[in-house]
């Protein structure tokens, strides 16, 4: 991906090096619960924590620890991709949705983070919190991505663009609607709804890539394959197979490798938000 000369975003909040300090109450239950679901990438902490107690309200991020070394380029890269999503969606919102785009903030953290959706740790992977409209990412995730077989800068860009896809769902009122619908659902139904939400975010990531390339020529040869490969690498079937040796489709929350790659491609080829209506599609 051709990114080095790209604009850097101003909407980065660097909380790397901050530790969580606990006030009274709470305890470490959050850490225990979240460790169990570490396999599930990019789920809002409040959804993971449904029914569990989130750390006490006295929790904040103040104490410091060393910033992980060797992340300067990853930070620069993330800032450029974020800026590119801003430049893209600022144009696409009025064009395709008759709305004004509101830029989210991207929080960099190391290890643990306190979001408006609850406490999270790096093992959960990057996530978006619709309450504070922020994307949270521990840059060490890019190393995890490589270990999963999704190497390359465009694989990383796809992940960031997917999280921005969740922000778009929030701006369009989709996230709130989903949270309300979840209330009346059993687990299997909630998982199925989550898959639709996640595949739409993949499709939105593709829409971004389409326009970013047309406007700024960012894609180099091999990038599209890197993106499709990354989408497949974090498909539920592949992750479950790797972690537990077998696959339980009813427990999918993000979609299979084939579905994730296909919806990313759909957005990439169409460049249209309207092509990403995963909620009214019978066969995903
Ligand atoms: Zn997601």
């Amino acid at each position: 991906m051709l990114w080095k000369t790209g604009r850097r975003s101003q909407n980065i909040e660097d909380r790397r090096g901050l530790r969580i300090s606990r006030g009274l109450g709470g305890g470490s239950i959050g850490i225990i619960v979240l460790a169990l679901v570490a396999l599930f990438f990019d789920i809002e902490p409040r959804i993971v924590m449904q029914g569990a107690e989130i750390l006490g309200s006295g929790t904040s991020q103040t104490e410091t620890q060393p910033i992980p070394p060797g992340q300067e380029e990853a930070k620069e890269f993330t800032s450029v991709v974020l800026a590119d999503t801003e430049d893209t969606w600022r144009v696409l919102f009025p064009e395709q949705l008759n709305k004004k785009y509101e830029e989210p903030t991207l929080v960099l953290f190391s290890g643990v983070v306190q979001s408006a959706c609850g406490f999270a740790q790096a093992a959960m992977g990057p996530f978006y919190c619709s309450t504070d409209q922020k994307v949270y990412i521990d840059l060490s995730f890019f190393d995890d991505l490589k270990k999963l077989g999704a190497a390359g800068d465009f694989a990383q860009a796809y992940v960031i663009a997917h999280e921005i896809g969740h922000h778009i769902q929030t701006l369009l009122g989709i996230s709130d609607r989903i949270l309300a619908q979840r209330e009346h659902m059993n687990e299997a139904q909630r998982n199925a709804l989550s898959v639709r939400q996640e595949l739409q975010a993949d499709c939105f990531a593709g829409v971004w890539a389409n326009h970013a390339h047309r406007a700024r020529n960012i894609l180099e040869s091999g990038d599209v394959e890197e993106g499709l490969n990354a989408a497949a690498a974090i498909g539920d079937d592949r992750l479950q197979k790797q972690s537990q040796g077998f696959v339980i489709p009813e427990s999918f929350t993000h979609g299979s490798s084939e579905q994730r790659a296909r919806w990313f491609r759909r957005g990439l080829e169409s460049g249209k938000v309207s092509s990403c209506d995963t909620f009214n599609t019978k066969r995903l």
Side-chain angles (χ1 to χ4, degrees), residues 19-27 54-62 114:
R19 257 193 245 266
I20 301 269
S21 60
R22 294 192 186 100
L24 294 171
I54 295 179
L55 285 173
S57 54
T59 305
S60 60
Q61 283 198 290
T62 44
Q114 179 70 46

Side-chain angles (χ1 to χ4, degrees), residues 41-43 162-163 166 197-198 201 254 260:
F41 290 133
D42 121 287
I43 298 184
H162 169 97
E163 297 306 333
H166 288 311
Q197 183 178 14
E198 295 299 332
H254 285 67
R260 298 200 70 168

Side-chain angles (χ1 to χ4, degrees), residues 60-180:
S60 60
Q61 283 198 290
T62 44
E63 296 169 54
T64 53
Q65 57 184 353
I67 290 180
Q71 291 189 342
E72 277 328 291
E73 186 168 87
K75 182 184 175 181
E76 287 283 294
F77 176 78
T78 301
S79 168
V80 170
V81 173
L82 179 63
D84 202 302
T85 63
E86 292 161 358
D87 295 341
T88 299
W89 289 108
R90 192 188 303 126
V91 174
L92 293 193
F93 258 59
E95 252 179 35
Q96 296 191 15
L97 299 159
N98 208 16
K99 277 190 159 71
K100 190 173 173 284
Y101 184 60
E102 290 160 47
E103 296 172 355
T105 297
L106 188 149
V107 178
L108 299 175
F109 71 97
S110 48
V112 288
V113 73
Q114 179 70 46
S115 78
C117 295
F119 167 81
Q121 60 176 358
M124 289 173 66
F127 67 95
Y128 173 76
C129 171
S130 54
T131 308
D132 55 20
Q133 302 201 357
K134 293 180 181 180
V135 170
Y136 291 83
I137 185 162
D138 182 323
L139 294 172
S140 67
F141 177 73
F142 293 151
D143 301 327
D144 301 340
L145 208 53
K146 256 182 233 149
K147 285 180 206 140
L148 289 168
D153 53 8
F154 198 68
Q156 300 171 359
Y158 150 73
V159 169
I160 298 166
H162 169 97
E163 297 306 333
I164 300 299
H166 288 311
H167 176 61
I168 288 160
Q169 291 174 322
T170 295
L171 295 182
L172 298 181
I174 296 168
S175 307
D176 275 349
R177 208 164 63 226
I178 289 170
L179 273 174

